[in-house]
Amino acid sequence: MTRSQRLRIVPSQFAVEHLANSTFPEDDEWIALVRAPEGLTVLRDAPAWVDGERWKGFYSDGDSHGLDQPGMLAAVVGPLAESSIPVFVASTYHADLVLVPDHRLQEATEVLREAGHRIAE
């Protein structure tokens, strides 16, 4: 079952960091944190000095779906996976922030449109 969604491209560029053996970052400039046995994953706006991969995000544009609607995330990441586009996801109560590598944004946008999603830029 396809769950067509209205998505917008978030204007920010993001960085995803792994801090081994950390339980909290040293600063408060983060957007999302995930603590796991192997360390801390930090999602933040990409600072100008970041040399690593930069990510761009797709987020729901008014189609808040809540926690009780199955298949919403799969409808977005499935077509991207079929096109071999890597993703990083940060889920919120209302929607999911689906990140793709910055240099693959245009390709990801086309893939999502072909899958029936509406993308606002």
Side-chain angles (χ1 to χ4, degrees):
M1 174 189 314
T2 300
R3 297 207 177 256
S4 175
Q5 297 173 54
R6 193 172 64 217
L7 304 169
R8 66 181 166 88
I9 298 172
V10 179
S12 300
Q13 286 189 325
F14 299 95
V16 179
E17 302 172 334
H18 176 253
L19 304 177
N21 304 314
S22 291
T23 58
F24 206 79
E26 293 180 10
D27 61 29
D28 62 354
E29 299 297 319
W30 50 269
I31 295 168
L33 303 174
V34 178
R35 191 176 315 160
E38 65 275 3
L40 186 68
T41 299
V42 180
L43 174 62
R44 63 176 76 236
D45 281 324
W49 49 263
V50 166
D51 290 330
E53 184 84 63
R54 292 176 183 260
W55 299 77
K56 292 293 285 184
F58 295 94
Y59 192 73
S60 176
D61 190 22
D63 287 341
S64 173
H65 60 72
L67 300 175
D68 61 346
Q69 292 186 16
M72 299 300 282
L73 180 57
V76 176
V77 298
L80 296 172
E82 289 173 14
S83 295
S84 299
I85 299 173
V87 301
F88 182 87
V89 177
S91 295
T92 71
Y93 186 85
H94 295 287
D96 305 296
L97 174 61
V98 178
L99 302 178
V100 299
D102 182 52
H103 68 278
R104 308 241 0 228
L105 178 65
Q106 188 59 43
E107 179 186 3
T109 300
E110 293 169 11
V111 165
L112 292 172
R113 283 189 174 131
E114 288 173 9
H117 301 289
R118 299 168 311 260
I119 311 294
E121 297 187 48

